Amino acid sequence: MNARRDFVRFVVIGCLVVSAAVLLPSIGRSQENTKVQDAMELLKSEAAKLGTPKIEGTDMAGSKQVPAIYFGTTKINNNFELVDSVVKQAGGTATIFVKSGEEFVRVSTNVKRDDGTRAVGTILDPKGKVIGSIKKDESFFGDVDILGKPYVTGYEPIHNQSHDVIGIYYVGYLK
């Protein structure tokens, strides 16, 4: 009788351990996804408060001459108030990319290079997983390597008044 009860306990405990091993990673992933979604909504809403996105003239981003992206009358190139405000509220990292030819260039970011400087002027990986979604005018949410480090991320196209893609909103959290 004791052997049978011990066997049942063993089976129940085994099932609980297996269930936890299966469910916990998906719960963690779900929380990461919610965090990214919330940060993306915050970035977009804070940008929208500034006004409609547009391109007007050019500006330097690192060593690259790129289109200047504005939200309303606020030029975003080399202006870190928006991305830093979002990170102050939501943590992680945030970036505004501008479309420059076939590339998307970081013009406002708190993603850091290895030397600790902001990665302004660096480009979205042209062979990475994100670019295909953006070129189809779609969002991308998932794991991405950014400048050699793993992040859980979200990317959404920025549209001007004519609905042309002129840039990308990005948020992410180091894994």
Side-chain angles (χ1 to χ4, degrees):
M1 191 74 162
N2 285 340
R4 186 173 184 205
R5 187 177 24 196
D6 289 343
F7 177 73
V8 170
R9 283 185 186 154
F10 176 76
V11 170
V12 169
I13 290 170
C15 288
L16 290 173
V17 169
V18 169
S19 295
V22 170
L23 291 177
L24 287 178
S26 64
I27 289 170
R29 174 63 64 194
S30 176
Q31 288 172 340
E32 283 179 344
N33 290 341
T34 299
K35 197 172 173 180
V36 170
Q37 291 280 349
D38 290 348
M40 179 60 75
E41 289 309 311
L42 178 62
L43 176 58
K44 290 177 2 184
S45 70
E46 292 296 311
K49 288 178 188 175
L50 298 174
T52 304
K54 66 182 177 185
I55 298 295
E56 192 171 287
T58 61
D59 197 5
M60 294 302 289
S63 61
K64 294 176 182 275
Q65 185 81 15
V66 298
I69 189 169
Y70 287 75
F71 288 97
T73 59
T74 304
K75 183 170 72 169
I76 301 301
N77 296 47
N78 301 301
N79 176 342
F80 309 111
E81 288 179 33
L82 174 63
V83 294
D84 288 350
S85 169
V86 168
V87 168
K88 185 176 181 180
Q89 295 175 66
T93 55
T95 296
I96 300 294
F97 291 86
V98 70
K99 188 174 195 280
S100 180
E102 293 300 310
E103 296 180 328
F104 288 90
V105 181
R106 288 177 182 87
V107 295
S108 179
T109 189
N110 42 47
V111 171
K112 300 283 178 23
R113 293 182 178 98
D114 287 339
D115 66 5
T117 60
R118 293 178 191 256
V120 172
T122 59
I123 63 169
L124 178 67
D125 184 351
K127 296 179 178 149
K129 336 180 202 186
V130 176
I131 198 73
S133 295
I134 296 300
K135 285 186 175 181
K136 292 188 259 179
D137 197 10
E138 297 172 352
S139 301
F140 175 91
F141 288 85
D143 295 344
V144 173
D145 180 83
I146 300 173
L147 303 178
K149 296 181 180 127
Y151 286 79
V152 58
T153 68
Y155 294 80
E156 292 197 16
I158 299 172
H159 299 98
N160 64 10
Q161 219 165 2
S162 302
H163 204 68
D164 300 315
V165 175
I166 61 169
I168 303 171
Y169 299 101
Y170 154 85
V171 294
Y173 294 88
L174 191 59
K175 292 186 91 176

